[in-house]
Amino acid sequence: MSAAEPATEQAAANAQWARMLVDELVRGGVAHVALSPGSRSTPLALAIAERAGVVGGIGGAKVRGRDDIPAAAHPDLALTVHIDERSAAFFALGRSRASGRPSALVCTSGSAGAHYLPALIEAHHSRVPLLVLTADRPAELRESGAWQTIDQTGLFRDFVRWFFDLPAPDPADLDGGLRTRTVRLIAARAVAVALTSPAGPVHLNVPFREPLVPVARLDEGMSSITSSAAEASPRSPVEFHPHNVFRGRPGGASWTVSAATVRTPTAAIIDALAARCTAHARGLILAGTTVAPLRHGDAWSDAVHGLSKALGWPILAEATSGLRFGPNALIPPITGYASALRHAPVRHDPGNAPDAVLRLGASHVWKHVAQFVDEAAPELHIVLDPEGTWDDPTRSATLRLQSDALPTIRMLAERVAALPAPSRSRSQANEAWRERWAALDRAVAMERALACAETTSGSGKMDDAAPSVAPFYPALLANLPAGTLIWAANSMAVRDLDTFSAADPRRLYALASRGAAGIDGTISTALGAAAGHPGPACLITGDLAFLHDLNGVGVLDGRGGPLTGVDLLAVVFDDRGGGIFELLPVARGDRGAFENLFATPPTLGPATACRMVGLAHAVVTSPEDLAIHAARWRATGGLRVLVVPIDRAANTQAHRRHWARVATALDRPTAPTARDGGDTPAVDPSDLRGTTGALGDPDAARDGGERRAIDAAGTADVPGAFDAPNCFDAHNGVEDESG
């Protein structure tokens, strides 16, 4: 045997090891790999590129240029390349969240993997399946001072569901024995664990010894590497694998199939639950963030609305619940509850307190809503917890159901519908309860429509800046195609979407990263979600979140070109800093310190940043302009950014003015009280369109011009309008909610 043969065999072992690992991940359900360049991960990078069809290998094709590369032999794996591991991880997070199929992350050894941590924290808390493959030096080089070598075992600690440190491949492993089978088993198990409830990230550490690949034959693809080893070795891998380890199980099956099961309550539990729910006429269904609509389509909203109709309980639907946008004709969801519950008299009115609550999806974005439920202390407080997360920030749930949401809701609705009809008095009480919340919602809807149509001047501090974000939301939503996935950034974007969006019969999907609720990775996550969603996507964000992840736009496809086939409209509300801090107590102090330490206005604006990185963009200053540019994007697709300058001071006043007007409307005699079910006549907010600005007086349209005084700061002399707890006031028992 020549001196070169051991090196050739080592390179072949690396290549075969990597190919088996990648093949088994794909068999388990991995549909995409986000790769970051590096040396130690070379065997993995080439195996992935071969599987994705962007380098020659299976057919023996040579790689001399992108135009010469043949079509993918296995089009079941997509590949994107990211120079920044942090962006790669958030892109994979968004793609997995939108598609439901896990993405894999691959990087080199050393500190590279550490950049994955922020996205893995979000994936852990949002229950998003991810596979993390960190290449590593072999054990003999650890703690030796070798370059780019750190202790990668347990790198992500409790933020991954499982960790395994694979052995470094050895030429002896080409015999198809136990160690070879271990590679496939570990890969199959990794995907299964990532997908099993509670879903989340899994970390595989994958060491390789040098030579990583035979450099002289690198241009011939992966097949040349393994074939050269077979020629040099007396043990052909094809002849020594009794279990077909190298080729894998027939039919594309995983080495060890992990069968998924549907978890539903027993008939006895459903019977008991139906009896307990129907004992309460005053119940609420709280619907928080969930991916269920993306997984089940209209079946999700049909099931929840069916349960709402059977029980007579209103649905308080967040914008990201999947119940606000789409067919919901049975019982329209309550969309203005958060604004209504900011008003202390509404929040503390015993007539509004529920006796029973069923919470679906994640805990609510508004702390004061959760606090309202906590203070109401309902006798029955159910949390449907399919992932077993014990997500209950107020620690007030009386019953937790760890079962799959859709079949459980369907079973409960069917059982309730099969019970004897309620008594006349019970039916009247139930109808009064529904009307009470509907009346609150109509009052808020009126004020929301007026806020979205209002045209007022800004503070004069920011030229060409709009005084409020509110009018842009209906303009944007009306111009998004049906089936669009909306990704709302944290901080103000997700809250403004909830505040200023009404129910819409068109099917739109809305999501946000509410696991850890940070602003990091916003662009990357939205791009990944757009790549994983079959339709168009729209990102709504502020300027700081946009600039924080600007390098996320540098994603490439596996052939070295820009990412294609992704239709994403990014709307950036540029208020020159962190607008949410304006609504926190810290804004009342020294303004110089506030601007420097909290608002932090960036020196580089979003429009300038877009020019710097070559992003197609436009600056829009009115809802009409936004509608025009959104329509153009609908026709062309691709990635486009719309920057909307917002006067931060005026926008803060507009928010406070809106909440004060909501409080005024709810204080009118026609608003529901504890003594009746409410008799506010139905008002279609669309009737109010065109009654503001140049076309009319919004005050006259609202109440004949009579209203309580609103001062220059946008606050009102409405009793209880901003006292006791609201989500932006730490002085009233609610902590800072800037996420």
Side-chain angles (χ1 to χ4, degrees):
M1 180 182 293
S2 69
E5 287 179 354
T8 302
E9 287 196 355
Q10 180 61 61
N14 291 341
Q16 193 65 61
W17 200 262
R19 294 178 93 183
M20 288 190 297
L21 187 60
V22 171
D23 178 61
E24 198 61 42
L25 292 177
V26 173
R27 287 167 179 259
V30 171
H32 161 255
V33 174
L35 171 71
S36 294
S39 174
R40 190 58 54 163
S41 53
T42 297
L44 288 171
L46 291 176
I48 292 162
E50 179 194 61
R51 183 62 184 250
V54 297
V55 300
I58 293 174
K62 295 185 178 183
V63 182
R64 302 197 185 280
R66 292 210 320 263
D67 294 338
D68 300 329
I69 298 173
H74 294 278
D76 51 1
L77 183 66
L79 170 62
T80 54
V81 180
H82 312 250
I83 60 172
D84 177 11
E85 288 83 3
R86 188 177 69 97
S87 293
F90 278 108
F91 184 94
L93 169 74
R95 200 182 197 283
S96 297
R97 186 92 182 274
S99 69
R101 297 188 62 183
S103 288
L105 295 161
V106 175
C107 70
T108 190
S109 62
S111 62
H115 295 273
Y116 289 155
L117 183 58
L120 298 187
I121 291 172
E122 177 62 34
H124 165 75
H125 286 288
S126 292
R127 318 304 171 189
V128 178
L130 289 175
L131 280 300
V132 182
L133 279 64
T134 52
D136 200 359
R137 263 64 173 172
E140 61 266 22
L141 292 181
R142 297 175 187 173
E143 299 191 26
S144 68
W147 293 337
Q148 221 169 321
T149 306
I150 66 171
D151 183 4
Q152 297 178 188
T153 60
L155 182 62
F156 307 114
R157 301 178 63 84
D158 295 336
F159 296 110
V160 294
R161 299 289 178 270
W162 184 54
F163 166 75
F164 194 87
D165 190 13
L166 282 161
D170 187 273
D173 296 333
L174 293 179
D175 64 357
L178 178 62
R179 280 167 61 89
T180 320
R181 293 195 298 273
T182 297
V183 178
R184 285 201 176 270
L185 177 63
I186 294 302
R189 179 178 174 182
V191 181
V193 172
L195 289 168
T196 300
S197 181
V202 167
H203 177 203
L204 299 181
N205 197 52
V206 191
F208 292 105
R209 292 188 177 89
E210 294 181 337
L212 301 174
V213 292
V215 177
R217 305 195 63 176
L218 187 57
D219 68 336
E220 299 181 27
M222 290 291 286
S223 65
S224 67
I225 298 170
T226 52
S227 63
S228 65
E231 294 167 2
S233 173
R235 299 174 302 163
S236 170
V238 178
E239 297 173 0
F240 288 87
H241 56 86
H243 299 286
N244 266 333
V245 178
F246 298 103
R247 298 184 184 277
R249 301 291 191 199
S254 294
W255 189 254
T256 301
V257 176
S258 182
T261 58
V262 177
R263 298 162 302 156
T264 58
T266 64
I269 292 176
I270 289 293
D271 288 345
L273 187 59
R276 292 191 65 183
C277 288
T278 53
H280 300 282
R282 297 158 58 91
L284 293 174
I285 297 176
L286 302 183
T289 302
T290 178
V291 295
L294 287 170
R295 306 292 178 263
H296 306 300
D298 288 345
W300 171 252
S301 59
D302 290 345
V304 179
H305 284 289
L307 179 60
S308 172
K309 180 181 180 182
L311 289 172
W313 294 2
I315 302 170
L316 276 53
E318 271 194 357
T320 53
S321 67
L323 299 171
R324 187 176 294 196
F325 310 119
N328 39 35
L330 293 175
I331 299 180
I334 307 300
T335 61
Y337 63 93
S339 294
L341 291 174
R342 294 180 67 87
H343 189 37
V346 171
R347 193 169 56 249
H348 299 310
D349 186 341
N352 296 328
D355 298 327
V357 166
L358 169 62
R359 204 198 79 205
L360 312 175
S363 54
H364 271 53
V365 68
W366 300 101
K367 285 184 179 179
H368 68 282
V369 174
Q371 203 152 22
F372 159 72
V373 175
D374 184 41
E375 293 172 357
E379 180 182 338
L380 180 63
H381 185 173
I382 308 165
V383 172
L384 188 52
D385 185 19
E387 298 284 0
T389 62
W390 291 81
D391 182 356
D392 179 24
T394 61
R395 301 294 190 262
S396 57
T398 62
L399 176 63
R400 187 180 66 91
L401 283 176
Q402 188 173 344
S403 60
D404 291 345
L406 182 61
T408 300
I409 292 169
R410 283 173 168 169
M411 291 171 64
L412 181 57
E414 290 171 0
R415 188 68 188 95
V416 171
L419 293 175
S423 65
R424 179 178 177 82
S425 60
R426 162 62 192 270
S427 296
Q428 290 175 337
N430 195 262
E431 179 61 32
W433 173 251
R434 290 198 304 268
E435 175 54 30
R436 165 178 292 276
W437 281 94
L440 290 172
D441 200 44
R442 288 193 294 268
V444 174
M446 257 183 102
E447 300 303 324
R448 176 172 56 215
L450 289 165
C452 291
E454 194 171 36
T455 55
T456 57
S457 60
S459 67
K461 297 179 181 179
M462 297 176 66
D463 295 336
D464 298 324
S468 172
V469 299
F472 292 91
Y473 276 87
L476 173 63
L477 295 175
N479 285 279
L480 294 178
T484 297
L485 171 61
I486 301 168
W487 197 278
N490 284 312
S491 196
M492 284 306 295
V494 67
R495 292 180 173 86
D496 284 341
L497 177 64
D498 194 68
T499 299
F500 299 119
S501 66
D504 191 319
R506 293 176 307 133
R507 170 55 67 202
L508 301 172
Y509 305 95
L511 283 176
S513 290
R514 296 304 299 169
I519 67 166
D520 43 353
T522 295
I523 296 176
S524 300
T525 307
L527 277 171
H533 182 60
C538 175
L539 167 65
I540 304 174
T541 182
D543 55 318
L544 293 187
F546 180 81
L547 295 170
H548 190 278
D549 191 38
L550 187 61
N551 57 343
V553 303
V555 57
L556 302 173
D557 66 14
R559 300 173 186 271
L563 188 65
T564 58
V566 172
D567 297 326
L568 176 66
L569 178 68
V571 178
V572 184
F573 289 110
D574 178 15
D575 61 358
R576 301 184 190 179
I580 196 169
F581 293 106
E582 295 282 1
L583 297 165
L584 296 175
V586 70
R588 303 167 188 165
D590 179 84
R591 289 300 297 183
F594 172 79
E595 288 291 315
N596 294 334
L597 301 177
F598 297 96
T600 58
T603 56
L604 178 71
T608 303
C610 287
R611 287 192 294 271
M612 182 179 70
V613 299
L615 275 179
H617 71 286
V619 177
V620 299
T621 57
S622 70
E624 293 78 14
D625 286 343
L626 180 67
I628 291 171
H629 284 280
R632 290 175 180 169
W633 168 77
R634 289 181 63 175
T636 62
L639 172 60
R640 186 167 182 81
V641 179
L642 301 181
V643 179
V644 185
I646 297 293
D647 186 320
R648 177 156 35 100
N651 188 44
T652 302
Q653 294 175 15
H655 278 76
R656 289 179 170 145
R657 186 166 56 247
H658 168 63
W659 291 323
R661 290 173 177 174
V662 167
T664 301
L666 295 174
D667 280 342
R668 295 192 192 112
T670 53
T673 68
R675 294 183 298 277
D676 58 59
D679 56 0
T680 304
V683 176
D684 184 354
S686 64
D687 294 340
L688 300 174
R689 293 174 184 169
T691 60
T692 62
L695 300 179
D697 179 4
D699 290 351
R702 182 179 293 104
D703 52 18
E706 298 179 2
R707 63 168 57 255
R708 303 188 184 200
I710 299 177
D711 63 23
T715 57
D717 62 341
V718 180
F722 301 108
D723 60 355
N726 67 69
C727 69
F728 298 117
D729 195 343
H731 294 308
N732 291 311
V734 178
E735 298 176 356
D736 172 357
E737 187 175 13
S738 57

